[in-house]
Coordinates of all heavy atoms in Angstrom, one line a residue:
M430 N 8.5 -6.2 54.8 CA 7.5 -6.4 55.9 C 7.7 -5.4 57.1 O 6.8 -4.8 57.6 CB 7.7 -7.8 56.5 CG 6.8 -8.2 57.6 SD 5.1 -8.3 57.0 CE 4.3 -8.8 58.4
K431 N 9.0 -5.1 57.4 CA 9.2 -4.2 58.5 C 8.8 -2.8 58.2 O 8.2 -2.2 59.1 CB 10.8 -4.1 58.8 CG 11.3 -5.2 59.7 CD 12.6 -4.8 60.1 CE 13.6 -6.0 60.3 NZ 14.9 -5.6 60.7
N432 N 9.0 -2.4 57.0 CA 8.6 -1.0 56.6 C 7.1 -0.8 56.7 O 6.7 0.3 57.2 CB 9.2 -0.6 55.2 CG 10.6 -0.2 55.2 OD1 11.2 0.1 56.3 ND2 11.2 -0.3 54.1
S433 N 6.4 -1.7 56.3 CA 4.9 -1.5 56.3 C 4.3 -1.5 57.7 O 3.5 -0.8 58.0 CB 4.2 -2.6 55.4 OG 4.5 -3.9 56.0
V434 N 5.0 -2.3 58.5 CA 4.5 -2.4 59.9 C 4.9 -1.1 60.6 O 4.1 -0.5 61.4 CB 5.1 -3.5 60.7 CG1 4.8 -3.5 62.2 CG2 4.6 -4.9 60.2
L435 N 6.1 -0.6 60.3 CA 6.6 0.6 60.9 C 5.8 1.8 60.5 O 5.4 2.7 61.3 CB 8.1 0.8 60.5 CG 8.9 1.7 61.4 CD1 8.9 1.3 62.8 CD2 10.3 1.8 60.9
K436 N 5.4 1.8 59.2 CA 4.6 2.9 58.7 C 3.2 2.9 59.3 O 2.7 3.9 59.7 CB 4.4 2.7 57.2 CG 5.6 3.2 56.4 CD 5.4 3.0 54.9 CE 6.6 3.3 54.1 NZ 6.4 3.1 52.6
G437 N 2.7 1.7 59.6 CA 1.3 1.6 60.2 C 1.4 2.0 61.6 O 0.5 2.8 62.1
V438 N 2.5 1.8 62.3 CA 2.6 2.2 63.7 C 2.7 3.7 63.7 O 2.0 4.4 64.6 CB 3.8 1.5 64.4 CG1 4.2 2.2 65.7 CG2 3.5 0.1 64.6
F439 N 3.6 4.3 62.9 CA 3.7 5.8 62.9 C 2.4 6.4 62.5 O 2.1 7.5 63.0 CB 4.9 6.2 61.9 CG 6.2 6.0 62.6 CD1 7.2 5.5 61.8 CD2 6.5 6.3 63.9 CE1 8.5 5.3 62.3 CE2 7.7 6.1 64.4 CZ 8.7 5.6 63.6
G440 N 1.7 5.8 61.6 CA 0.4 6.4 61.1 C -0.6 6.4 62.3 O -1.3 7.4 62.4
A441 N -0.6 5.3 63.0 CA -1.5 5.2 64.2 C -1.1 6.3 65.3 O -2.0 7.0 65.8 CB -1.5 3.9 64.8
L442 N 0.1 6.5 65.4 CA 0.6 7.5 66.4 C 0.3 8.9 65.9 O -0.1 9.8 66.8 CB 2.1 7.4 66.7 CG 2.6 6.2 67.5 CD1 4.0 6.1 67.5 CD2 2.0 6.3 68.9
A443 N 0.4 9.1 64.6 CA 0.1 10.4 64.1 C -1.4 10.8 64.2 O -1.8 11.9 64.7 CB 0.5 10.5 62.6
V444 N -2.3 9.8 64.0 CA -3.8 10.0 64.2 C -4.0 10.2 65.6 O -4.8 11.1 65.9 CB -4.5 8.7 63.6 CG1 -6.0 8.8 64.0 CG2 -4.3 8.6 62.1
A445 N -3.4 9.5 66.5 CA -3.7 9.7 68.0 C -3.2 11.1 68.4 O -3.9 11.8 69.2 CB -3.0 8.6 68.8
G446 N -2.1 11.5 67.9 CA -1.6 12.9 68.2 C -2.5 13.9 67.8 O -2.8 15.0 68.5
V447 N -3.0 13.8 66.5 CA -3.9 14.8 66.0 C -5.1 14.9 66.8 O -5.7 16.0 67.1 CB -4.2 14.5 64.5 CG1 -5.3 15.4 64.0 CG2 -3.0 14.8 63.7
A448 N -5.7 13.7 67.2 CA -6.9 13.7 68.0 C -6.7 14.3 69.4 O -7.6 15.1 69.8 CB -7.3 12.2 68.2
I449 N -5.6 14.2 70.0 CA -5.3 14.8 71.3 C -5.2 16.3 71.1 O -5.8 17.1 71.9 CB -4.0 14.2 71.9 CG1 -4.3 12.8 72.3 CG2 -3.5 15.1 73.1 CD1 -3.0 12.0 72.7
V450 N -4.5 16.8 70.1 CA -4.4 18.2 69.8 C -5.8 18.8 69.5 O -6.2 19.9 70.0 CB -3.4 18.5 68.6 CG1 -3.5 19.9 68.3 CG2 -2.0 18.1 69.1
A451 N -6.6 18.1 68.8 CA -8.0 18.6 68.4 C -8.8 18.7 69.6 O -9.6 19.7 69.8 CB -8.6 17.7 67.4
K452 N -8.7 17.8 70.5 CA -9.5 17.8 71.8 C -9.1 19.0 72.6 O -10.0 19.7 73.2 CB -9.2 16.5 72.6 CG -9.9 16.4 73.8 CD -9.7 15.2 74.6 CE -10.4 15.1 76.0 NZ -9.9 14.0 76.7
K453 N -7.8 19.3 72.7 CA -7.4 20.4 73.5 C -7.8 21.7 72.9 O -8.2 22.6 73.6 CB -5.8 20.3 73.6 CG -5.2 21.3 74.6 CD -5.7 20.9 76.0 CE -5.0 21.8 77.0 NZ -5.4 21.5 78.4
V454 N -7.7 21.8 71.6 CA -8.2 23.0 70.9 C -9.7 23.3 71.2 O -10.1 24.4 71.5 CB -7.9 23.0 69.4 CG1 -8.7 24.1 68.7 CG2 -6.5 23.1 69.1
I455 N -10.5 22.2 71.1 CA -11.9 22.3 71.4 C -12.2 22.8 72.8 O -13.0 23.6 73.0 CB -12.6 21.0 71.1 CG1 -12.6 20.8 69.6 CG2 -14.0 21.0 71.6 CD1 -13.0 19.4 69.1
E456 N -11.4 22.2 73.8 CA -11.6 22.6 75.2 C -11.3 24.1 75.4 O -12.0 24.8 76.1 CB -10.7 21.8 76.1 CG -11.1 20.3 76.2 CD -10.1 19.5 77.0 OE1 -9.1 20.0 77.4 OE2 -10.4 18.3 77.2
R457 N -10.2 24.5 74.8 CA -9.8 26.0 75.0 C -10.8 26.9 74.3 O -11.2 28.0 74.8 CB -8.4 26.2 74.5 CG -7.4 25.5 75.4 CD -6.0 25.9 75.1 NE -5.2 25.3 76.1 CZ -3.9 25.5 76.2 NH1 -3.3 26.2 75.2 NH2 -3.1 25.1 77.2
K458 N -11.3 26.5 73.1 CA -12.3 27.3 72.4 C -13.6 27.4 73.3 O -14.2 28.4 73.3 CB -12.6 26.6 71.0 CG -13.3 27.6 70.1 CD -13.4 26.9 68.7 CE -14.0 27.8 67.7 NZ -14.0 27.3 66.4
R459 N -14.0 26.3 73.9 CA -15.2 26.3 74.7 C -15.0 27.2 76.0 O -15.9 28.0 76.3 CB -15.4 24.8 75.2 CG -16.7 24.6 75.9 CD -17.0 23.2 76.3 NE -17.1 22.4 75.1 CZ -16.5 21.2 75.0 NH1 -15.9 20.6 76.0 NH2 -16.6 20.5 73.8
F460 N -13.7 27.2 76.5 CA -13.4 28.0 77.6 C -13.6 29.5 77.2 O -14.2 30.3 77.9 CB -12.0 27.8 78.2 CG -11.5 28.8 79.1 CD1 -11.9 28.8 80.4 CD2 -10.6 29.8 78.7 CE1 -11.4 29.8 81.3 CE2 -10.2 30.8 79.6 CZ -10.6 30.8 80.9
V461 N -13.0 29.9 76.1 CA -13.1 31.3 75.6 C -14.5 31.7 75.3 O -14.9 32.8 75.7 CB -12.1 31.5 74.4 CG1 -12.3 32.9 73.9 CG2 -10.7 31.3 74.9
R462 N -15.2 30.7 74.7 CA -16.6 31.1 74.4 C -17.4 31.3 75.7 O -18.3 32.2 75.7 CB -17.2 29.9 73.6 CG -18.4 30.3 72.7 CD -18.9 29.2 71.9 NE -18.0 28.9 70.8 CZ -17.7 27.7 70.2 NH1 -18.4 26.6 70.7 NH2 -16.9 27.5 69.2
G463 N -17.1 30.5 76.7 CA -17.8 30.7 78.0 C -17.5 32.1 78.6 O -18.4 32.7 79.2
I464 N -16.2 32.5 78.5 CA -15.9 33.9 79.0 C -16.7 34.9 78.2 O -17.2 35.9 78.9 CB -14.3 34.1 78.8 CG1 -13.5 33.2 79.6 CG2 -14.0 35.6 79.0 CD1 -13.6 33.5 81.1
F465 N -16.8 34.8 76.9 CA -17.6 35.8 76.1 C -19.1 35.8 76.6 O -19.6 36.8 76.8 CB -17.5 35.5 74.7 CG -16.2 35.9 74.0 CD1 -15.6 35.0 73.2 CD2 -15.7 37.2 74.1 CE1 -14.3 35.4 72.6 CE2 -14.6 37.6 73.6 CZ -13.9 36.7 72.7
D466 N -19.6 34.6 76.8 CA -21.0 34.5 77.3 C -21.2 35.1 78.7 O -22.1 35.8 79.0 CB -21.5 33.1 77.2 CG -21.6 32.6 75.8 OD1 -21.7 33.4 74.9 OD2 -21.7 31.3 75.6
E467 N -20.3 34.7 79.6 CA -20.3 35.2 81.0 C -20.3 36.7 81.1 O -21.0 37.3 82.0 CB -19.2 34.5 81.8 CG -19.3 34.9 83.2 CD -18.1 34.3 84.1 OE1 -17.6 33.2 83.6 OE2 -17.8 34.8 85.1
Y468 N -19.4 37.3 80.4 CA -19.3 38.8 80.5 C -20.1 39.5 79.5 O -20.1 40.7 79.5 CB -17.8 39.2 80.3 CG -16.9 38.8 81.5 CD1 -16.2 37.6 81.6 CD2 -16.9 39.6 82.6 CE1 -15.4 37.3 82.7 CE2 -16.2 39.2 83.8 CZ -15.4 38.1 83.8 OH -14.7 37.7 84.9
G469 N -21.0 38.8 78.7 CA -21.9 39.5 77.8 C -21.2 40.2 76.7 O -21.6 41.2 76.2
I470 N -20.1 39.7 76.1 CA -19.4 40.3 75.0 C -20.1 39.8 73.7 O -20.1 38.6 73.4 CB -17.9 39.9 75.1 CG1 -17.3 40.3 76.4 CG2 -17.2 40.4 73.9 CD1 -15.9 39.7 76.7
K471 N -20.6 40.7 73.0 CA -21.4 40.4 71.7 C -20.4 40.2 70.6 O -20.5 39.2 69.8 CB -22.2 41.6 71.4 CG -23.3 42.0 72.5 CD -24.5 41.2 72.3 CE -25.6 41.7 73.2 NZ -25.7 40.9 74.5
E472 N -19.3 41.0 70.5 CA -18.4 40.8 69.4 C -17.4 39.7 69.7 O -16.6 39.9 70.6 CB -17.6 42.2 69.2 CG -16.7 42.1 68.0 CD -15.9 43.5 67.8 OE1 -16.3 44.5 68.5 OE2 -15.0 43.4 67.1
K473 N -17.5 38.6 69.1 CA -16.7 37.5 69.4 C -15.3 37.5 68.7 O -14.9 36.8 67.8 CB -17.3 36.2 68.9 CG -18.7 36.0 69.4 CD -18.8 35.6 70.8 CE -20.2 35.2 71.2 NZ -20.6 35.5 72.5
S474 N -14.5 38.5 69.1 CA -13.2 38.8 68.6 C -12.3 39.3 69.7 O -12.8 39.7 70.7 CB -13.2 39.7 67.4 OG -13.4 41.0 67.9
P475 N -11.0 39.3 69.5 CA -10.1 39.8 70.5 C -10.4 41.3 70.8 O -10.2 41.8 71.9 CB -8.7 39.7 69.9 CG -8.8 38.6 68.9 CD -10.2 38.7 68.4
F476 N -10.9 42.1 69.8 CA -11.2 43.5 70.0 C -12.4 43.6 70.9 O -12.4 44.5 71.7 CB -11.6 44.1 68.6 CG -10.4 44.1 67.7 CD1 -10.5 43.3 66.6 CD2 -9.3 44.8 68.0 CE1 -9.4 43.2 65.7 CE2 -8.2 44.8 67.1 CZ -8.3 43.9 65.9
G477 N -13.4 42.7 70.9 CA -14.5 42.7 71.8 C -14.1 42.5 73.2 O -14.5 43.1 74.1
L478 N -13.2 41.5 73.4 CA -12.6 41.2 74.7 C -11.8 42.4 75.2 O -11.9 42.8 76.4 CB -11.8 40.0 74.6 CG -11.1 39.5 75.9 CD1 -12.2 39.2 76.9 CD2 -10.2 38.3 75.7
A479 N -11.0 43.0 74.4 CA -10.2 44.2 74.8 C -11.1 45.3 75.3 O -10.8 46.0 76.2 CB -9.3 44.6 73.6
D480 N -12.2 45.6 74.5 CA -13.1 46.6 74.9 C -13.8 46.3 76.3 O -13.9 47.3 77.1 CB -14.2 46.8 73.8 CG -13.8 47.4 72.6 OD1 -12.7 48.0 72.6 OD2 -14.5 47.1 71.5
K481 N -14.1 45.1 76.5 CA -14.7 44.7 77.8 C -13.7 44.9 79.0 O -14.0 45.4 80.0 CB -15.2 43.3 77.8 CG -15.9 42.8 79.0 CD -17.2 43.7 79.2 CE -17.9 43.2 80.4 NZ -19.2 44.0 80.6
I482 N -12.4 44.5 78.7 CA -11.4 44.7 79.7 C -11.2 46.2 80.1 O -11.0 46.5 81.2 CB -10.0 44.0 79.2 CG1 -10.2 42.5 79.2 CG2 -8.8 44.5 80.1 CD1 -9.0 41.8 78.6
R483 N -11.3 47.0 79.0 CA -11.1 48.5 79.3 C -12.2 49.0 80.2 O -12.0 49.9 81.0 CB -11.1 49.3 78.1 CG -9.9 49.2 77.3 CD -9.9 50.1 76.1 NE -8.9 49.6 75.1 CZ -9.2 49.0 74.0 NH1 -10.4 48.8 73.7 NH2 -8.3 48.6 73.2
E484 N -13.4 48.3 80.2 CA -14.6 48.8 81.0 C -14.5 48.2 82.4 O -15.2 48.7 83.3 CB -15.8 48.3 80.3 CG -16.1 49.0 79.0 CD -17.3 48.3 78.3 OE1 -17.9 47.4 78.9 OE2 -17.6 48.7 77.2
M485 N -13.7 47.2 82.7 CA -13.6 46.5 83.9 C -12.9 47.3 85.0 O -12.0 48.1 84.6 CB -12.9 45.1 83.8 CG -13.6 44.1 83.0 SD -12.6 42.6 83.0 CE -13.7 41.5 82.2
D486 N -13.3 47.1 86.3 CA -12.5 47.7 87.3 C -11.3 46.7 87.6 O -11.3 45.6 87.0 CB -13.3 47.9 88.6 CG -14.0 46.7 89.2 OD1 -13.7 45.6 88.6 OD2 -14.7 46.9 90.1
D487 N -10.4 47.1 88.5 CA -9.2 46.3 88.7 C -9.5 44.9 89.3 O -8.9 43.9 88.9 CB -8.3 47.1 89.7 CG -6.9 46.5 89.7 OD1 -6.4 46.1 88.5 OD2 -6.3 46.4 90.8
E488 N -10.5 44.8 90.2 CA -10.8 43.5 90.8 C -11.4 42.5 89.7 O -10.9 41.4 89.7 CB -11.9 43.7 91.9 CG -12.3 42.5 92.6 CD -13.3 42.7 93.7 OE1 -13.2 43.7 94.4 OE2 -14.2 41.9 93.8
Q489 N -12.2 43.0 88.9 CA -12.7 42.1 87.8 C -11.7 41.7 86.8 O -11.6 40.5 86.4 CB -13.9 42.8 87.0 CG -15.2 43.0 87.7 CD -16.1 43.8 86.9 OE1 -15.8 44.7 86.2 NE2 -17.4 43.5 87.0
Y490 N -10.8 42.6 86.5 CA -9.7 42.3 85.6 C -8.7 41.3 86.2 O -8.4 40.4 85.5 CB -8.9 43.6 85.3 CG -7.7 43.3 84.5 CD1 -7.7 42.9 83.2 CD2 -6.4 43.5 85.1 CE1 -6.6 42.6 82.4 CE2 -5.2 43.2 84.3 CZ -5.3 42.8 83.0 OH -4.2 42.5 82.3
Q491 N -8.4 41.4 87.5 CA -7.5 40.4 88.1 C -8.2 39.0 88.2 O -7.5 38.0 88.0 CB -7.2 40.9 89.5 CG -6.3 42.1 89.6 CD -5.0 41.9 88.8 OE1 -4.4 40.8 88.8 NE2 -4.5 43.0 88.2
E492 N -9.5 39.0 88.4 CA -10.2 37.7 88.3 C -10.1 37.0 86.9 O -9.8 35.9 86.8 CB -11.7 37.9 88.7 CG -12.5 36.6 88.7 CD -14.0 36.9 88.8 OE1 -14.3 38.0 89.4 OE2 -14.8 36.1 88.5
L493 N -10.4 37.8 86.0 CA -10.4 37.4 84.6 C -8.9 36.9 84.2 O -8.7 35.8 83.6 CB -10.8 38.4 83.6 CG -10.9 38.1 82.1 CD1 -11.8 37.0 81.8 CD2 -11.2 39.3 81.3
K494 N -8.0 37.7 84.6 CA -6.6 37.4 84.3 C -6.2 36.1 85.0 O -5.5 35.2 84.4 CB -5.6 38.5 84.8 CG -4.2 38.4 84.5 CD -3.5 39.7 85.0 CE -2.0 39.5 85.1 NZ -1.4 40.7 85.7
G495 N -6.6 35.9 86.2 CA -6.4 34.6 86.9 C -7.0 33.4 86.2 O -6.3 32.4 86.1
R496 N -8.2 33.6 85.7 CA -8.8 32.5 85.0 C -8.1 32.1 83.8 O -7.9 31.0 83.4 CB -10.3 32.9 84.8 CG -11.1 32.9 86.0 CD -12.5 33.3 85.8 NE -13.2 32.3 84.9 CZ -14.4 32.5 84.4 NH1 -15.0 33.6 84.6 NH2 -15.0 31.6 83.6
F497 N -7.6 33.1 83.0 CA -6.9 32.8 81.8 C -5.5 32.2 82.1 O -5.1 31.3 81.5 CB -6.6 34.1 81.1 CG -7.7 34.4 80.0 CD1 -8.7 35.4 80.3 CD2 -7.8 33.7 78.8 CE1 -9.7 35.6 79.4 CE2 -8.9 34.0 77.9 CZ -9.7 34.9 78.2
K498 N -4.9 32.7 83.2 CA -3.6 32.1 83.6 C -3.8 30.6 84.0 O -3.0 29.7 83.7 CB -2.9 32.8 84.8 CG -2.1 34.0 84.4 CD -1.5 34.6 85.6 CE -0.6 35.7 85.2 NZ 0.2 36.2 86.4
K499 N -4.9 30.3 84.7 CA -5.1 28.9 85.1 C -5.3 28.0 83.9 O -4.9 26.9 83.9 CB -6.4 28.9 86.1 CG -6.7 27.6 86.6 CD -7.9 27.6 87.5 CE -8.4 26.3 87.9 NZ -9.6 26.3 88.6
E500 N -6.2 28.5 83.0 CA -6.5 27.7 81.8 C -5.3 27.5 80.8 O -5.1 26.4 80.3 CB -7.6 28.4 81.0 CG -8.0 27.7 79.7 CD -8.7 26.3 80.0 OE1 -9.2 26.2 81.1 OE2 -8.7 25.5 79.1
F501 N -4.4 28.5 80.7 CA -3.3 28.4 79.7 C -2.0 28.3 80.4 O -0.9 28.7 79.9 CB -3.3 29.7 78.8 CG -4.6 29.7 78.0 CD1 -5.6 30.7 78.3 CD2 -4.8 28.9 77.0 CE1 -6.6 30.8 77.5 CE2 -6.0 29.0 76.2 CZ -6.9 29.9 76.5
A502 N -2.0 27.8 81.6 CA -0.7 27.7 82.4 C 0.3 26.8 81.8 O 1.5 27.0 82.1 CB -1.1 27.2 83.9
K503 N -0.1 25.8 81.1 CA 0.9 24.9 80.6 C 1.8 25.4 79.6 O 2.9 24.9 79.3 CB 0.2 23.6 80.1 CG -0.4 22.8 81.2 CD -1.0 21.5 80.7 CE -1.5 20.8 82.0 NZ -2.2 19.6 81.6
C504 N 1.4 26.4 78.9 CA 2.3 27.0 77.9 C 3.2 28.0 78.4 O 4.1 28.5 77.6 CB 1.4 27.6 76.7 SG 0.7 29.2 77.0
C505 N 3.0 28.5 79.6 CA 3.9 29.6 80.2 C 4.8 29.1 81.2 O 4.6 28.1 81.9 CB 2.9 30.6 80.8 SG 1.8 31.4 79.7
G506 N 6.0 29.7 81.2 CA 7.0 29.3 82.1 C 6.9 30.0 83.4 O 5.9 30.6 83.8
K507 N 8.0 30.0 84.2 CA 8.0 30.7 85.5 C 7.8 32.2 85.4 O 7.2 32.8 86.2 CB 9.3 30.5 86.2 CG 9.6 29.0 86.6 CD 10.9 29.0 87.3 CE 11.5 27.5 87.3 NZ 12.8 27.4 87.7
D508 N 8.3 32.8 84.3 CA 8.3 34.2 84.2 C 7.0 34.7 83.4 O 6.9 35.8 83.0 CB 9.5 34.7 83.5 CG 9.8 34.1 82.2 OD1 9.0 33.1 81.8 OD2 10.7 34.5 81.5
N509 N 6.1 33.7 83.2 CA 4.8 34.0 82.5 C 4.9 34.5 81.1 O 4.1 35.2 80.6 CB 3.9 35.0 83.3 CG 3.4 34.3 84.6 OD1 3.2 33.1 84.7 ND2 3.2 35.1 85.6
T510 N 6.0 34.1 80.4 CA 6.1 34.4 79.0 C 5.8 33.1 78.2 O 6.3 32.0 78.6 CB 7.5 34.9 78.6 OG1 8.5 33.9 79.0 CG2 7.8 36.2 79.3
C511 N 5.0 33.3 77.2 CA 4.6 32.1 76.5 C 5.7 31.5 75.6 O 6.4 32.3 74.9 CB 3.4 32.5 75.6 SG 2.5 31.0 74.9
K512 N 5.8 30.2 75.7 CA 6.9 29.6 74.9 C 6.4 28.8 73.8 O 7.1 28.1 73.0 CB 7.7 28.6 75.9 CG 8.3 29.3 77.0 CD 9.0 28.3 77.9 CE 9.6 29.1 79.1 NZ 10.2 28.2 80.1
A513 N 5.1 28.9 73.5 CA 4.4 28.2 72.4 C 4.5 29.0 71.1 O 4.8 30.1 71.1 CB 3.0 27.9 72.7

């Protein structure tokens, strides 16, 4: 009896964990898609974003960099190196 209840509890926790992770992935994908649309980037790849960054002046680049830092701040530590 104990094992089946325990398995059920762990199964429910696993499903909830997967749902939370999926929600976060969808939110971040929506954010990046919005960046592509806002800056008019046709090629939906890292290369398209890199090409657009090369065309930007310093002020636009700092704004974009700040937006990315704000969105992905939880994965970075004090020294802004990603720990994920």
Side-chain angles (χ1 to χ4, degrees):
M430 181 70 180
K431 276 193 212 178
N432 280 343
S433 63
V434 171
L435 202 56
K436 286 181 184 178
V438 169
F439 283 138
L442 286 173
V444 169
V447 168
I449 291 170
V450 169
K452 180 181 174 188
K453 191 65 174 175
V454 167
I455 290 168
E456 287 174 359
R457 288 187 173 184
K458 194 172 188 177
R459 190 176 299 137
F460 168 78
V461 172
R462 207 176 283 147
I464 294 290
F465 283 130
D466 291 341
E467 181 180 336
Y468 287 98
I470 302 170
K471 302 270 189 263
E472 185 181 346
K473 307 285 190 211
S474 72
F476 300 111
L478 181 61
D480 289 341
K481 185 64 178 181
I482 289 173
R483 283 188 203 104
E484 295 171 3
M485 291 180 174
D486 62 4
D487 195 41
E488 184 179 320
Q489 289 176 325
Y490 173 69
Q491 291 303 325
E492 177 189 340
L493 181 64
K494 184 176 164 184
R496 289 178 66 189
F497 271 102
K498 274 188 175 182
K499 182 181 173 189
E500 179 67 23
F501 298 106
K503 291 186 179 177
C504 81
C505 298
K507 293 178 199 172
D508 57 351
N509 289 331
T510 57
C511 192
K512 297 177 182 175

